[in-house]
Amino acid sequence: YRKTMKTIELFGLPATGKSYLLNKLQKKFRFNNKIILTYFNSYSTFNLIRKCMTIVIASLFFLNIKGIFKLILFFINFYKPIKSNLISLRTLRIFFNAMYLISLIKFNHFLRRKILMIDQGLYQLLWSIMYEMDYLNKENSHLIVRRWINIINSLNIKLDVFHCKARKKTILNRLALRQGNSIIEKIINEDNYSYYFLSFSNIISEIKFN
């Protein structure tokens, strides 16, 4: 009997402390090969190669074909971006990252890890999808969120979501200081914050409902 690996996703607005928390935990568990903590938001040629290799290995041996098929159908039938073109670099990046996350989870489950913690995971990708589709209205976003949750459920994984929160003033101050490249950091003001806070709230309410 193989015990199910627990996957934990840190979910929340930028500057709510996801990477900070993961860094603290990484120092604590750096000698424990059963607990894997991985940063998703680092960009480099090495990380791109590593992600590609993870997808290839998972595809050859133990990737969930049903889940991948549902993922492809989601992008064909439901993903209708407004902020960018359907076939754009951003769309391809979202799909590639979804494939990588699924492969990463399956790969570490195969290696019999106890815990895998990710600072930006499948639900964080859902936020990017909702942004691209301009779906912040709760009634309109309901179908998209439910379809995405259905994909996650079809993967047969144990996924816990850790919701990272911080005060609005704290978030805006941190964003202004770090000058990152996330969507919300391009225009740092209270209106922009409220716009993205609403989309996160919609996703969280759907997660709790399911």
Side-chain angles (χ1 to χ4, degrees):
Y1 173 75
R2 179 180 291 184
K3 193 173 182 179
T4 303
M5 179 189 74
K6 177 181 286 190
T7 304
I8 302 172
E9 174 181 345
L10 303 182
F11 177 77
L13 283 164
T16 50
K18 300 186 298 296
S19 297
Y20 175 82
L21 176 60
L22 198 64
N23 183 55
K24 288 290 185 182
L25 291 171
Q26 204 165 42
K27 290 178 180 178
K28 182 177 181 179
F29 296 111
R30 61 183 179 273
F31 299 117
N32 189 334
N33 63 1
K34 292 295 183 182
I35 300 177
I36 304 300
L37 303 104
T38 182
Y39 294 92
F40 187 76
N41 59 346
S42 53
Y43 301 100
S44 68
T45 303
F46 172 77
N47 279 330
L48 179 61
I49 294 172
R50 177 174 56 84
K51 289 177 181 179
C52 290
M53 289 298 296
T54 302
I55 293 173
V56 169
I57 294 171
S59 300
L60 289 174
F61 296 104
F62 41 78
L63 205 56
N64 187 310
I65 302 301
K66 181 181 177 182
I68 297 303
F69 184 67
K70 284 189 174 185
L71 179 67
I72 294 171
L73 287 180
F74 175 87
F75 276 88
I76 292 174
N77 297 327
F78 299 101
Y79 180 65
K80 310 296 179 187
I82 295 174
K83 304 285 187 181
S84 61
N85 296 324
L86 179 61
I87 303 300
S88 66
L89 182 62
R90 183 158 181 79
T91 294
L92 293 174
R93 185 181 296 161
I94 291 172
F95 179 77
F96 174 79
N97 286 338
M99 284 288 294
Y100 166 68
L101 284 168
I102 294 170
S103 302
L104 180 70
I105 292 168
K106 290 295 182 179
F107 184 64
N108 280 281
H109 182 268
F110 177 78
L111 295 176
R112 300 190 180 187
R113 308 296 193 192
K114 184 178 179 182
I115 295 174
L116 171 67
M117 184 177 287
I118 310 168
D119 71 335
Q120 293 188 52
L122 291 167
Y123 284 104
Q124 203 78 16
L125 275 184
L126 175 59
W127 176 62
S128 296
I129 289 169
M130 290 177 67
Y131 167 80
E132 288 295 316
M133 296 179 67
D134 206 15
Y135 268 12
L136 298 186
N137 179 279
K138 189 169 184 178
E139 184 177 344
N140 292 338
S141 65
H142 177 73
L143 175 63
I144 298 300
V145 177
R146 288 294 301 274
R147 290 286 178 177
W148 192 256
I149 291 176
N150 183 256
I151 292 171
I152 295 174
N153 290 338
S154 70
L155 299 174
N156 296 320
I157 59 175
K158 182 174 177 57
L159 176 61
D160 291 340
V161 181
F162 190 95
H163 186 196
C164 297
K165 293 191 259 184
R167 293 183 302 170
K168 179 172 68 174
K169 184 178 180 181
T170 302
I171 290 174
L172 292 174
N173 288 339
R174 288 175 180 172
L175 291 176
L177 286 172
R178 77 183 195 183
Q179 297 179 339
N181 58 1
S182 69
I183 299 168
I184 193 175
E185 291 171 84
K186 293 178 181 177
I187 306 173
I188 303 170
N189 57 47
E190 291 200 16
D191 290 338
N192 198 41
Y193 167 86
S194 300
Y195 182 86
Y196 294 113
F197 180 81
L198 177 61
S199 65
F200 270 93
S201 298
N202 289 347
I203 294 172
I204 286 293
S205 64
E206 290 287 347
I207 294 173
K208 288 179 178 179
F209 179 78
N210 281 273

